[in-house]
Amino acid sequence: MKTLLTLTARLIADQKWAFSRGLALSFLVLAMGAALLGLSGWFITASALAGITGLGLNFNFFTPSAGVRGLALGRAVSRYGERLLTHDATLRALAKLRIDLMDGVSRRPHEEQARLRGAQALNRITSDVDALDGVLLRLVLPFLAGGMVQIAALLMLWWLEGLPIGLAVFLIYLLGGGLGLIWVARAARHDARAAETALQNIRRRALETMRARADLAVAGQLEAATAQTLTEVEAEALARRNLEALDRRVGAVISATTALAGAAALAIAGQMALAGQITPARAAMGLFVALALAESLMLLRRGMAEIGRMQEAGARVMDLTDTPERPQPDGHAPTDTDDPLIESRNVAFTRSNSAAPLFSDLTFSLARGETVMLAGPSGAGKSTALAVLSGLLKPSGGEITVKGRALPDWPEGDLRDVLTMVPQRSQLIGGTIAENLALALPPEAQLDEDAAWAALRAVALDEVIAARGGLEARLGEGGTGLSGGQTKRLALARAALRQPDILLLDEPTEGLDATTAAATLSGLRALLPDAGFLLVSHRQPDQSAATGTIALK
Protein backbone atom coordinates (compact mmCIF):
# COMPACT_ATOMS: atom_id res chain seq x y z
CA MET A 1 0.00 0.00 0.00
CA LYS A 2 2.93 2.32 0.65
CA THR A 3 3.92 1.93 -3.00
CA LEU A 4 0.50 3.06 -4.20
CA LEU A 5 0.45 6.03 -1.81
CA THR A 6 3.87 7.18 -2.98
CA LEU A 7 2.89 6.69 -6.59
CA THR A 8 -0.38 8.57 -6.10
CA ALA A 9 1.46 11.55 -4.63
CA ARG A 10 3.85 11.50 -7.58
CA LEU A 11 1.08 11.30 -10.18
CA ILE A 12 -0.95 14.20 -8.79
CA ALA A 13 2.06 16.40 -7.99
CA ASP A 14 1.68 18.53 -11.14
CA GLN A 15 -2.09 18.09 -11.53
CA LYS A 16 -3.34 18.90 -8.02
CA TRP A 17 -5.87 21.51 -9.10
CA ALA A 18 -7.34 19.34 -11.85
CA PHE A 19 -7.61 16.31 -9.56
CA SER A 20 -9.12 18.42 -6.76
CA ARG A 21 -11.82 19.68 -9.11
CA GLY A 22 -12.33 16.16 -10.43
CA LEU A 23 -12.70 14.83 -6.88
CA ALA A 24 -15.23 17.56 -6.08
CA LEU A 25 -17.25 16.67 -9.17
CA SER A 26 -16.98 12.93 -8.37
CA PHE A 27 -18.43 13.67 -4.95
CA LEU A 28 -21.19 15.77 -6.51
CA VAL A 29 -22.11 12.95 -8.90
CA LEU A 30 -22.54 10.46 -6.04
CA ALA A 31 -24.19 12.99 -3.72
CA MET A 32 -26.64 14.12 -6.40
CA GLY A 33 -27.44 10.50 -7.19
CA ALA A 34 -28.28 9.80 -3.56
CA ALA A 35 -30.20 13.07 -3.24
CA LEU A 36 -32.07 12.42 -6.50
CA LEU A 37 -33.24 8.98 -5.41
CA GLY A 38 -34.03 10.16 -1.90
CA LEU A 39 -36.00 13.18 -3.12
CA SER A 40 -37.81 11.05 -5.68
CA GLY A 41 -38.78 8.53 -2.98
CA TRP A 42 -40.02 11.31 -0.72
CA PHE A 43 -41.89 12.98 -3.57
CA ILE A 44 -43.67 9.81 -4.68
CA THR A 45 -44.61 8.83 -1.13
CA ALA A 46 -45.72 12.34 -0.17
CA SER A 47 -47.77 12.68 -3.37
CA ALA A 48 -49.48 9.35 -2.75
CA LEU A 49 -50.29 10.26 0.85
CA ALA A 50 -51.61 13.65 -0.24
CA GLY A 51 -53.92 11.95 -2.71
CA ILE A 52 -55.10 9.38 -0.17
CA THR A 53 -55.81 11.98 2.50
CA GLY A 54 -57.50 14.37 0.05
CA LEU A 55 -54.84 17.07 0.41
CA GLY A 56 -53.64 16.83 -3.19
CA LEU A 57 -54.94 20.29 -4.13
CA ASN A 58 -52.81 21.90 -1.45
CA PHE A 59 -49.69 19.82 -2.11
CA ASN A 60 -46.78 21.67 -3.81
CA PHE A 61 -45.85 19.44 -6.74
CA PHE A 62 -43.71 22.01 -8.53
CA THR A 63 -40.84 22.56 -6.12
CA PRO A 64 -39.91 18.87 -5.64
CA SER A 65 -40.34 18.13 -9.36
CA ALA A 66 -38.04 21.04 -10.16
CA GLY A 67 -35.56 19.66 -7.64
CA VAL A 68 -35.69 16.23 -9.31
CA ARG A 69 -35.02 17.75 -12.74
CA GLY A 70 -32.27 19.97 -11.34
CA LEU A 71 -30.53 17.06 -9.64
CA ALA A 72 -30.79 14.90 -12.75
CA LEU A 73 -29.33 17.60 -15.00
CA GLY A 74 -26.71 18.56 -12.43
CA ARG A 75 -25.63 14.95 -12.07
CA ALA A 76 -25.21 14.58 -15.85
CA VAL A 77 -23.21 17.81 -16.13
CA SER A 78 -21.07 16.90 -13.12
CA ARG A 79 -20.38 13.45 -14.55
CA TYR A 80 -19.25 14.98 -17.85
CA GLY A 81 -17.00 17.50 -16.10
CA GLU A 82 -15.58 14.85 -13.78
CA ARG A 83 -14.68 12.55 -16.68
CA LEU A 84 -13.17 15.41 -18.64
CA LEU A 85 -11.02 16.70 -15.78
CA THR A 86 -9.87 13.42 -14.27
CA HIS A 87 -9.09 11.65 -17.54
CA ASP A 88 -7.22 14.65 -18.93
CA ALA A 89 -5.22 15.04 -15.72
CA THR A 90 -4.50 11.30 -15.61
CA LEU A 91 -3.22 11.27 -19.20
CA ARG A 92 -1.00 14.27 -18.46
CA ALA A 93 0.32 12.63 -15.29
CA LEU A 94 1.08 9.39 -17.15
CA ALA A 95 2.81 11.32 -19.94
CA LYS A 96 5.12 12.89 -17.37
CA LEU A 97 5.61 9.50 -15.72
CA ARG A 98 6.74 8.04 -19.06
CA ILE A 99 9.31 10.83 -19.40
CA ASP A 100 10.54 10.21 -15.84
CA LEU A 101 10.67 6.50 -16.64
CA MET A 102 12.80 6.99 -19.75
CA ASP A 103 14.99 9.42 -17.83
CA GLY A 104 15.51 6.79 -15.14
CA VAL A 105 16.31 4.13 -17.72
CA SER A 106 18.87 6.45 -19.32
CA ARG A 107 20.73 6.59 -15.99
CA ARG A 108 20.99 2.80 -15.79
CA PRO A 109 24.23 1.02 -16.74
CA HIS A 110 24.72 0.43 -20.46
CA GLU A 111 24.33 -3.35 -20.24
CA GLU A 112 21.06 -3.03 -18.33
CA GLN A 113 19.74 -0.55 -20.89
CA ALA A 114 20.54 -3.06 -23.61
CA ARG A 115 18.49 -5.71 -21.81
CA LEU A 116 15.57 -3.29 -21.46
CA ARG A 117 15.45 -2.92 -25.24
CA GLY A 118 14.15 -6.47 -25.65
CA ALA A 119 10.55 -7.08 -26.69
CA GLN A 120 9.61 -8.70 -23.38
CA ALA A 121 11.05 -5.85 -21.28
CA LEU A 122 9.43 -3.17 -23.44
CA ASN A 123 6.07 -4.93 -23.30
CA ARG A 124 6.36 -5.15 -19.53
CA ILE A 125 7.18 -1.44 -19.16
CA THR A 126 4.32 -0.44 -21.47
CA SER A 127 1.87 -2.67 -19.65
CA ASP A 128 2.99 -1.39 -16.25
CA VAL A 129 2.43 2.24 -17.20
CA ASP A 130 -0.97 1.41 -18.70
CA ALA A 131 -1.95 -0.36 -15.47
CA LEU A 132 -1.27 2.77 -13.45
CA ASP A 133 -4.09 4.81 -14.98
CA GLY A 134 -6.39 2.79 -12.72
CA VAL A 135 -4.62 4.01 -9.58
CA LEU A 136 -6.32 7.38 -9.85
CA LEU A 137 -9.41 6.66 -11.95
CA ARG A 138 -10.52 3.37 -10.41
CA LEU A 139 -9.01 3.46 -6.92
CA VAL A 140 -8.04 6.78 -5.37
CA LEU A 141 -10.80 9.05 -6.71
CA PRO A 142 -13.65 6.52 -6.19
CA PHE A 143 -12.36 5.73 -2.68
CA LEU A 144 -12.19 9.38 -1.63
CA ALA A 145 -15.46 10.37 -3.30
CA GLY A 146 -17.24 7.28 -1.96
CA GLY A 147 -15.99 7.90 1.58
CA MET A 148 -17.02 11.54 1.41
CA VAL A 149 -20.54 10.75 0.20
CA GLN A 150 -21.00 8.05 2.86
CA ILE A 151 -20.12 10.58 5.58
CA ALA A 152 -22.33 13.22 3.94
CA ALA A 153 -25.21 10.73 3.81
CA LEU A 154 -24.71 9.92 7.49
CA LEU A 155 -24.94 13.61 8.40
CA MET A 156 -27.93 14.30 6.15
CA LEU A 157 -29.90 11.28 7.37
CA TRP A 158 -29.09 12.26 10.94
CA TRP A 159 -30.43 15.74 10.27
CA LEU A 160 -33.53 14.70 8.31
CA GLU A 161 -34.53 11.44 9.98
CA GLY A 162 -32.42 10.85 13.04
CA LEU A 163 -29.08 9.37 14.08
CA PRO A 164 -30.21 5.69 14.26
CA ILE A 165 -31.06 5.55 10.54
CA GLY A 166 -27.93 7.35 9.38
CA LEU A 167 -25.67 5.34 11.67
CA ALA A 168 -27.21 2.00 10.69
CA VAL A 169 -26.78 2.68 6.97
CA PHE A 170 -23.23 3.96 7.46
CA LEU A 171 -22.09 0.98 9.56
CA ILE A 172 -23.66 -1.62 7.26
CA TYR A 173 -21.90 -0.13 4.24
CA LEU A 174 -18.66 0.26 6.17
CA LEU A 175 -18.58 -3.34 7.36
CA GLY A 176 -20.31 -5.18 4.53
CA GLY A 177 -18.88 -3.12 1.69
CA GLY A 178 -15.46 -2.78 3.25
CA LEU A 179 -15.08 -6.48 3.93
CA GLY A 180 -16.37 -7.33 0.45
CA LEU A 181 -13.86 -5.04 -1.25
CA ILE A 182 -10.98 -6.31 0.89
CA TRP A 183 -12.01 -9.86 0.00
CA VAL A 184 -12.01 -9.16 -3.73
CA ALA A 185 -8.60 -7.47 -3.48
CA ARG A 186 -7.13 -10.59 -1.88
CA ALA A 187 -8.99 -13.16 -3.96
CA ALA A 188 -8.25 -11.49 -7.29
CA ARG A 189 -4.50 -11.18 -6.76
CA HIS A 190 -3.62 -14.64 -8.12
CA ASP A 191 -5.86 -14.52 -11.18
CA ALA A 192 -4.92 -10.92 -11.96
CA ARG A 193 -1.24 -11.89 -11.86
CA ALA A 194 -1.93 -14.95 -14.02
CA ALA A 195 -3.85 -12.87 -16.57
CA GLU A 196 -1.07 -10.29 -16.75
CA THR A 197 1.64 -12.94 -17.12
CA ALA A 198 -0.30 -14.69 -19.87
CA LEU A 199 -0.87 -11.38 -21.67
CA GLN A 200 2.84 -10.61 -21.59
CA ASN A 201 3.60 -14.08 -22.94
CA ILE A 202 1.05 -13.62 -25.72
CA ARG A 203 2.71 -10.39 -26.82
CA ARG A 204 6.19 -11.84 -26.61
CA ARG A 205 5.38 -15.05 -28.48
CA ALA A 206 3.33 -13.21 -31.11
CA LEU A 207 6.21 -10.81 -31.78
CA GLU A 208 8.74 -13.63 -31.93
CA THR A 209 6.53 -15.65 -34.26
CA MET A 210 5.93 -12.73 -36.60
CA ARG A 211 9.59 -11.76 -36.76
CA ALA A 212 10.79 -15.32 -37.35
CA ARG A 213 7.83 -16.58 -39.36
CA ALA A 214 9.92 -17.23 -42.50
CA ASP A 215 12.54 -19.26 -40.60
CA LEU A 216 9.85 -21.08 -38.64
CA ALA A 217 7.98 -21.96 -41.81
CA VAL A 218 11.13 -23.30 -43.46
CA ALA A 219 11.90 -25.37 -40.35
CA GLY A 220 8.31 -26.62 -40.14
CA GLN A 221 7.84 -25.04 -36.69
CA LEU A 222 5.34 -22.31 -37.55
CA GLU A 223 2.32 -24.33 -36.41
CA ALA A 224 4.06 -25.31 -33.16
CA ALA A 225 4.93 -21.68 -32.42
CA THR A 226 1.36 -20.64 -33.17
CA ALA A 227 0.06 -23.38 -30.86
CA GLN A 228 2.25 -22.08 -28.04
CA THR A 229 0.77 -18.63 -28.51
CA LEU A 230 -2.75 -20.05 -28.49
CA THR A 231 -1.95 -21.87 -25.23
CA GLU A 232 -1.13 -18.54 -23.63
CA VAL A 233 -4.34 -17.08 -25.07
CA GLU A 234 -6.32 -19.86 -23.39
CA ALA A 235 -4.49 -19.27 -20.09
CA GLU A 236 -5.27 -15.57 -20.26
CA ALA A 237 -8.92 -16.28 -21.09
CA LEU A 238 -9.19 -18.69 -18.14
CA ALA A 239 -7.77 -16.12 -15.74
CA ARG A 240 -10.17 -13.49 -17.11
CA ARG A 241 -13.13 -15.84 -16.65
CA ASN A 242 -12.08 -16.43 -13.05
CA LEU A 243 -11.89 -12.69 -12.49
CA GLU A 244 -15.34 -12.22 -14.04
CA ALA A 245 -16.78 -14.92 -11.80
CA LEU A 246 -15.21 -13.24 -8.78
CA ASP A 247 -16.60 -9.92 -9.94
CA ARG A 248 -20.10 -11.39 -10.05
CA ARG A 249 -19.70 -12.75 -6.52
CA VAL A 250 -18.52 -9.38 -5.28
CA GLY A 251 -21.49 -7.79 -7.03
CA ALA A 252 -23.73 -10.16 -5.11
CA VAL A 253 -22.04 -9.16 -1.82
CA ILE A 254 -22.54 -5.48 -2.61
CA SER A 255 -26.18 -6.11 -3.57
CA ALA A 256 -26.73 -7.98 -0.31
CA THR A 257 -25.11 -5.12 1.60
CA THR A 258 -27.34 -2.63 -0.18
CA ALA A 259 -30.45 -4.68 0.54
CA LEU A 260 -29.49 -5.00 4.20
CA ALA A 261 -28.85 -1.25 4.49
CA GLY A 262 -32.18 -0.50 2.81
CA ALA A 263 -34.04 -2.97 5.04
CA ALA A 264 -32.43 -1.53 8.16
CA ALA A 265 -33.28 2.02 7.10
CA LEU A 266 -36.88 1.03 6.33
CA ALA A 267 -37.32 -0.90 9.58
CA ILE A 268 -35.95 1.86 11.79
CA ALA A 269 -37.74 4.59 9.87
CA GLY A 270 -40.99 2.61 9.99
CA GLN A 271 -40.81 2.35 13.75
CA MET A 272 -40.08 6.07 14.00
CA ALA A 273 -42.99 6.87 11.68
CA LEU A 274 -45.34 4.74 13.78
CA ALA A 275 -44.13 6.61 16.83
CA GLY A 276 -44.83 9.91 15.09
CA GLN A 277 -41.21 11.01 15.15
CA ILE A 278 -41.01 11.40 11.36
CA THR A 279 -43.49 11.42 8.50
CA PRO A 280 -43.95 8.35 6.24
CA ALA A 281 -42.51 10.34 3.34
CA ARG A 282 -39.31 10.96 5.28
CA ALA A 283 -39.21 7.30 6.22
CA ALA A 284 -39.21 6.44 2.51
CA MET A 285 -36.38 8.88 1.91
CA GLY A 286 -34.02 6.89 4.12
CA LEU A 287 -34.74 3.70 2.17
CA PHE A 288 -34.00 5.26 -1.22
CA VAL A 289 -30.85 7.04 -0.02
CA ALA A 290 -29.57 3.73 1.35
CA LEU A 291 -30.18 2.08 -2.03
CA ALA A 292 -28.47 4.92 -3.92
CA LEU A 293 -25.30 4.64 -1.84
CA ALA A 294 -24.53 1.29 -3.52
CA GLU A 295 -22.95 3.28 -6.37
CA SER A 296 -20.11 4.36 -4.08
CA LEU A 297 -19.08 0.71 -3.72
CA MET A 298 -19.68 -0.28 -7.33
CA LEU A 299 -17.16 2.29 -8.54
CA LEU A 300 -14.47 0.69 -6.38
CA ARG A 301 -15.15 -2.88 -7.42
CA ARG A 302 -12.88 -2.99 -10.47
CA GLY A 303 -10.13 -0.97 -8.82
CA MET A 304 -9.96 -3.33 -5.84
CA ALA A 305 -9.83 -6.32 -8.19
CA GLU A 306 -6.79 -4.80 -9.92
CA ILE A 307 -5.02 -3.45 -6.85
CA GLY A 308 -2.51 -6.30 -6.79
CA ARG A 309 -1.56 -5.66 -10.43
CA MET A 310 -1.28 -1.94 -9.72
CA GLN A 311 1.02 -2.50 -6.74
CA GLU A 312 3.39 -4.74 -8.70
CA ALA A 313 3.39 -2.44 -11.72
CA GLY A 314 3.96 0.60 -9.51
CA ALA A 315 6.89 -1.05 -7.74
CA ARG A 316 8.59 -1.87 -11.05
CA VAL A 317 8.00 1.61 -12.48
CA MET A 318 9.24 3.36 -9.34
CA ASP A 319 12.35 1.18 -9.31
CA LEU A 320 13.22 2.52 -12.77
CA THR A 321 12.22 6.14 -12.18
CA ASP A 322 14.14 6.29 -8.89
CA THR A 323 17.47 5.41 -10.51
CA PRO A 324 20.05 7.66 -8.81
CA GLU A 325 21.56 10.48 -10.81
CA ARG A 326 24.95 9.79 -12.24
CA PRO A 327 27.64 11.86 -10.53
CA GLN A 328 28.82 14.61 -12.86
CA PRO A 329 32.45 15.72 -12.59
CA ASP A 330 33.21 19.41 -12.25
CA GLY A 331 35.23 21.46 -14.68
CA HIS A 332 35.19 22.03 -18.41
CA ALA A 333 36.42 20.03 -21.35
CA PRO A 334 39.97 20.78 -22.51
CA THR A 335 40.08 22.53 -25.86
CA ASP A 336 43.55 23.09 -27.35
CA THR A 337 45.90 20.34 -26.24
CA ASP A 338 48.78 18.37 -27.70
CA ASP A 339 47.73 15.18 -25.91
CA PRO A 340 46.38 12.24 -27.95
CA LEU A 341 42.67 12.38 -28.66
CA ILE A 342 42.22 9.12 -26.78
CA GLU A 343 44.76 7.01 -24.97
CA SER A 344 44.29 3.58 -23.43
CA ARG A 345 46.77 2.12 -20.93
CA ASN A 346 46.48 -1.55 -19.93
CA VAL A 347 42.67 -1.46 -20.08
CA ALA A 348 40.83 -4.68 -19.22
CA PHE A 349 37.18 -5.60 -18.98
CA THR A 350 35.51 -8.48 -17.14
CA ARG A 351 31.80 -9.19 -17.34
CA SER A 352 29.88 -9.32 -14.07
CA ASN A 353 29.02 -13.01 -14.52
CA SER A 354 32.52 -14.11 -15.58
CA ALA A 355 35.76 -14.73 -13.73
CA ALA A 356 38.10 -14.36 -16.71
CA PRO A 357 38.50 -10.98 -18.44
CA LEU A 358 36.95 -10.57 -21.87
CA PHE A 359 40.07 -8.67 -22.92
CA SER A 360 43.07 -7.19 -21.13
CA ASP A 361 46.13 -5.01 -21.65
CA LEU A 362 44.49 -2.81 -24.29
CA THR A 363 47.12 -0.13 -24.87
CA PHE A 364 47.17 2.40 -27.70
CA SER A 365 46.82 6.09 -28.52
CA LEU A 366 44.82 7.84 -31.23
CA ALA A 367 46.03 11.12 -32.69
CA ARG A 368 44.26 13.65 -34.89
CA GLY A 369 43.72 12.47 -38.44
CA GLU A 370 44.53 8.83 -37.63
CA THR A 371 42.36 5.84 -38.50
CA VAL A 372 43.12 2.92 -36.20
CA MET A 373 41.70 -0.57 -36.63
CA LEU A 374 40.82 -2.68 -33.58
CA ALA A 375 41.40 -6.27 -34.71
CA GLY A 376 40.64 -9.65 -33.17
CA PRO A 377 38.62 -12.81 -33.76
CA SER A 378 34.85 -12.91 -33.37
CA GLY A 379 33.86 -12.88 -29.71
CA ALA A 380 37.11 -11.25 -28.60
CA GLY A 381 35.21 -8.24 -27.25
CA LYS A 382 35.85 -5.62 -29.94
CA SER A 383 32.35 -4.08 -29.71
CA THR A 384 32.58 -4.19 -25.93
CA ALA A 385 35.95 -2.43 -26.12
CA LEU A 386 34.33 0.44 -28.05
CA ALA A 387 31.64 0.70 -25.37
CA VAL A 388 34.37 0.84 -22.70
CA LEU A 389 36.37 3.46 -24.61
CA SER A 390 33.24 5.58 -25.10
CA GLY A 391 32.43 5.56 -21.38
CA LEU A 392 29.33 3.38 -21.65
CA LEU A 393 30.94 0.53 -19.70
CA LYS A 394 33.35 0.81 -16.81
CA PRO A 395 36.69 -0.97 -17.30
CA SER A 396 37.79 -3.49 -14.70
CA GLY A 397 41.36 -2.28 -14.95
CA GLY A 398 43.63 0.23 -16.65
CA GLU A 399 43.19 3.89 -17.51
CA ILE A 400 41.57 5.79 -20.40
CA THR A 401 42.20 9.46 -21.13
CA VAL A 402 40.46 11.68 -23.64
CA LYS A 403 42.47 14.74 -24.75
CA GLY A 404 44.65 14.31 -21.69
CA ARG A 405 41.82 14.08 -19.16
CA ALA A 406 40.77 10.85 -17.45
CA LEU A 407 37.56 9.49 -18.97
CA PRO A 408 35.63 9.35 -15.64
CA ASP A 409 36.44 13.05 -15.06
CA TRP A 410 34.58 14.16 -18.18
CA PRO A 411 31.08 15.64 -17.75
CA GLU A 412 28.68 13.61 -19.87
CA GLY A 413 27.64 16.48 -22.11
CA ASP A 414 31.21 17.59 -22.79
CA LEU A 415 32.32 14.02 -23.53
CA ARG A 416 29.56 13.50 -26.11
CA ASP A 417 30.55 16.74 -27.83
CA VAL A 418 34.01 15.38 -28.61
CA LEU A 419 33.39 11.62 -28.84
CA THR A 420 30.71 9.92 -30.95
CA MET A 421 30.09 6.22 -31.38
CA VAL A 422 28.14 4.50 -34.16
CA PRO A 423 27.22 0.99 -32.93
CA GLN A 424 26.84 -2.02 -35.16
CA ARG A 425 23.04 -1.82 -35.01
CA SER A 426 22.05 1.82 -35.28
CA GLN A 427 18.52 3.00 -34.65
CA LEU A 428 16.41 5.27 -36.81
CA ILE A 429 12.99 6.71 -36.04
CA GLY A 430 9.74 6.91 -37.94
CA GLY A 431 9.84 10.37 -39.51
CA THR A 432 11.62 12.38 -42.16
CA ILE A 433 15.27 12.07 -43.14
CA ALA A 434 15.77 15.54 -41.69
CA GLU A 435 14.28 14.47 -38.35
CA ASN A 436 16.58 11.46 -38.21
CA LEU A 437 19.64 13.61 -38.93
CA ALA A 438 18.54 16.25 -36.41
CA LEU A 439 18.86 13.69 -33.61
CA ALA A 440 22.58 14.45 -33.69
CA LEU A 441 21.97 18.10 -32.76
CA PRO A 442 21.09 19.74 -29.43
CA PRO A 443 17.33 20.03 -28.86
CA GLU A 444 17.24 23.75 -29.59
CA ALA A 445 19.44 23.60 -32.70
CA GLN A 446 18.08 23.75 -36.24
CA LEU A 447 19.31 21.38 -38.93
CA ASP A 448 21.46 23.15 -41.52
CA GLU A 449 20.42 21.77 -44.90
CA ASP A 450 23.82 22.42 -46.50
CA ALA A 451 25.56 20.56 -43.68
CA ALA A 452 23.00 17.74 -43.93
CA TRP A 453 23.58 17.29 -47.66
CA ALA A 454 27.34 17.46 -47.13
CA ALA A 455 27.10 14.63 -44.60
CA LEU A 456 24.91 12.56 -46.93
CA ARG A 457 27.31 13.19 -49.78
CA ALA A 458 30.23 12.07 -47.64
CA VAL A 459 28.63 8.64 -47.13
CA ALA A 460 27.52 8.33 -50.77
CA LEU A 461 23.85 8.59 -49.84
CA ASP A 462 22.92 11.96 -51.32
CA GLU A 463 21.64 10.63 -54.64
CA VAL A 464 19.56 7.95 -52.93
CA ILE A 465 17.92 10.48 -50.61
CA ALA A 466 17.36 12.98 -53.42
CA ALA A 467 15.61 10.28 -55.48
CA ARG A 468 13.30 9.50 -52.53
CA GLY A 469 12.18 13.14 -52.19
CA GLY A 470 15.01 14.82 -50.30
CA LEU A 471 15.30 15.59 -46.62
CA GLU A 472 11.51 15.57 -46.19
CA ALA A 473 11.18 11.98 -47.39
CA ARG A 474 9.53 9.91 -44.69
CA LEU A 475 10.68 6.64 -43.18
CA GLY A 476 8.42 4.10 -41.50
CA GLU A 477 8.50 2.92 -37.91
CA GLY A 478 12.05 2.16 -36.84
CA GLY A 479 13.35 3.74 -40.03
CA THR A 480 11.89 1.15 -42.36
CA GLY A 481 12.08 2.08 -46.02
CA LEU A 482 15.86 1.97 -46.36
CA SER A 483 18.04 -1.06 -46.95
CA GLY A 484 20.46 -2.26 -44.28
CA GLY A 485 23.42 -0.57 -45.96
CA GLN A 486 21.49 2.69 -46.45
CA THR A 487 20.42 2.64 -42.81
CA LYS A 488 24.04 2.25 -41.75
CA ARG A 489 25.17 5.14 -43.95
CA LEU A 490 22.39 7.42 -42.69
CA ALA A 491 23.55 6.69 -39.12
CA LEU A 492 27.14 7.54 -40.16
CA ALA A 493 25.96 10.80 -41.71
CA ARG A 494 24.09 11.63 -38.51
CA ALA A 495 27.22 11.00 -36.45
CA ALA A 496 29.33 13.14 -38.81
CA LEU A 497 26.96 16.08 -38.31
CA ARG A 498 28.17 16.29 -34.71
CA GLN A 499 31.65 17.16 -35.97
CA PRO A 500 33.30 15.02 -33.26
CA ASP A 501 37.02 14.90 -32.52
CA ILE A 502 36.79 11.12 -31.97
CA LEU A 503 34.60 8.78 -34.02
CA LEU A 504 34.20 5.17 -32.87
CA LEU A 505 32.77 2.96 -35.63
CA ASP A 506 31.55 -0.61 -35.19
CA GLU A 507 31.35 -2.42 -38.57
CA PRO A 508 30.75 0.88 -40.41
CA THR A 509 30.53 -0.63 -43.91
CA GLU A 510 28.54 -3.76 -43.12
CA GLY A 511 26.11 -4.51 -45.96
CA LEU A 512 27.99 -2.33 -48.49
CA ASP A 513 29.80 -3.42 -51.60
CA ALA A 514 33.55 -2.77 -51.76
CA THR A 515 33.25 0.36 -53.92
CA THR A 516 30.58 1.99 -51.75
CA ALA A 517 32.45 0.99 -48.58
CA ALA A 518 35.66 2.65 -49.77
CA ALA A 519 33.75 5.76 -50.88
CA THR A 520 31.98 5.99 -47.51
CA LEU A 521 35.18 5.84 -45.44
CA SER A 522 37.06 8.24 -47.72
CA GLY A 523 34.08 10.63 -47.67
CA LEU A 524 33.97 10.60 -43.88
CA ARG A 525 37.69 11.28 -43.71
CA ALA A 526 37.33 14.20 -46.15
CA LEU A 527 34.45 15.62 -44.11
CA LEU A 528 36.30 15.19 -40.78
CA PRO A 529 39.99 15.54 -41.70
CA ASP A 530 41.21 16.19 -38.15
CA ALA A 531 39.08 13.62 -36.34
CA GLY A 532 40.49 10.37 -35.01
CA PHE A 533 38.71 7.23 -36.24
CA LEU A 534 38.74 3.94 -34.31
CA LEU A 535 37.24 1.12 -36.37
CA VAL A 536 36.03 -2.38 -35.59
CA SER A 537 35.60 -4.39 -38.78
CA HIS A 538 36.34 -7.65 -40.55
CA ARG A 539 36.11 -6.17 -44.05
CA GLN A 540 39.06 -5.52 -46.35
CA PRO A 541 37.98 -1.97 -47.42
CA ASP A 542 37.96 -0.89 -43.79
CA GLN A 543 41.35 -2.47 -43.13
CA SER A 544 42.79 -0.71 -46.17
CA ALA A 545 41.65 2.66 -44.82
CA ALA A 546 43.38 2.13 -41.46
CA THR A 547 46.71 3.78 -40.69
CA GLY A 548 47.36 1.40 -37.82
CA THR A 549 46.08 -1.82 -36.24
CA ILE A 550 45.66 -2.84 -32.61
CA ALA A 551 45.27 -6.50 -31.73
CA LEU A 552 42.78 -7.19 -28.95
CA LYS A 553 44.03 -9.80 -26.50
Side-chain angles (χ1 to χ4, degrees), residues 258-328:
T258 304
L260 182 60
L266 184 61
I268 297 173
Q271 292 297 322
M272 295 177 68
L274 289 175
Q277 296 174 330
I278 59 175
T279 65
R282 284 197 176 186
M285 182 186 296
L287 167 64
F288 285 98
V289 168
L291 297 178
L293 290 176
E295 186 180 8
S296 63
L297 295 183
M298 291 294 185
L299 292 176
L300 268 172
R301 188 167 65 178
R302 183 180 174 188
M304 294 301 289
E306 295 181 356
I307 191 171
R309 178 192 176 203
M310 295 177 192
Q311 285 179 319
E312 294 180 358
R316 286 190 292 266
V317 169
M318 288 177 60
D319 179 60
L320 291 176
T321 57
D322 292 343
T323 303
E325 293 282 351
R326 292 179 180 176
Q328 291 296 320

Side-chain angles (χ1 to χ4, degrees), residues 515-530:
T515 302
T516 306
T520 297
L521 290 178
S522 61
L524 284 174
R525 173 51 69 196
L527 188 66
L528 304 171
D530 295 328

Side-chain angles (χ1 to χ4, degrees), residues 504-536:
L504 308 183
L505 305 175
D506 193 353
E507 301 290 353
T509 63
E510 184 180 16
L512 305 181
D513 60 81
T515 302
T516 306
T520 297
L521 290 178
S522 61
L524 284 174
R525 173 51 69 196
L527 188 66
L528 304 171
D530 295 328
F533 292 1
L534 182 62
L535 307 181
V536 166

Side-chain angles (χ1 to χ4, degrees), residues 172-173 252-266 287 290-291 294:
I172 289 172
Y173 271 109
V253 171
I254 294 176
S255 297
T257 301
T258 304
L260 182 60
L266 184 61
L287 167 64
L291 297 178

Side-chain angles (χ1 to χ4, degrees), residues 206-269:
L207 283 172
E208 292 173 350
T209 302
M210 286 188 291
R211 288 175 177 173
R213 60 187 181 277
D215 294 335
L216 290 171
V218 171
Q221 296 297 317
L222 185 57
E223 291 187 2
T226 304
Q228 290 178 337
T229 305
L230 292 177
T231 300
E232 297 295 344
V233 171
E234 293 173 358
E236 198 263 349
L238 175 61
R240 293 294 176 191
R241 287 196 297 270
N242 292 339
L243 288 174
E244 290 172 0
L246 178 63
D247 184 70
R248 290 192 294 271
R249 291 195 292 271
V250 175
V253 171
I254 294 176
S255 297
T257 301
T258 304
L260 182 60
L266 184 61
I268 297 173

Side-chain angles (χ1 to χ4, degrees), residues 41-56:
W42 176 88
F43 186 28
I44 293 171
T45 306
S47 300
L49 290 174
I52 293 172
T53 58
L55 299 176

Side-chain angles (χ1 to χ4, degrees), residues 3-78:
T3 298
L4 290 182
L5 292 176
T6 304
L7 187 61
T8 299
R10 187 172 298 181
L11 288 174
I12 67 174
D14 296 326
Q15 304 291 330
K16 292 179 181 178
W17 177 232
F19 279 118
S20 298
R21 290 181 294 170
L23 176 60
L25 290 175
S26 298
F27 167 73
L28 280 179
V29 169
L30 294 175
M32 286 183 175
L36 175 61
L37 203 56
L39 178 58
S40 299
W42 176 88
F43 186 28
I44 293 171
T45 306
S47 300
L49 290 174
I52 293 172
T53 58
L55 299 176
L57 293 176
N58 297 322
F59 184 75
N60 182 3
F61 291 90
F62 299 103
T63 300
S65 62
V68 169
R69 288 194 296 270
L71 288 171
L73 291 173
R75 175 179 164 82
V77 172
S78 297

Side-chain angles (χ1 to χ4, degrees), residues 103 132 265 362:
D103 188 45
L132 297 182
L362 178 59

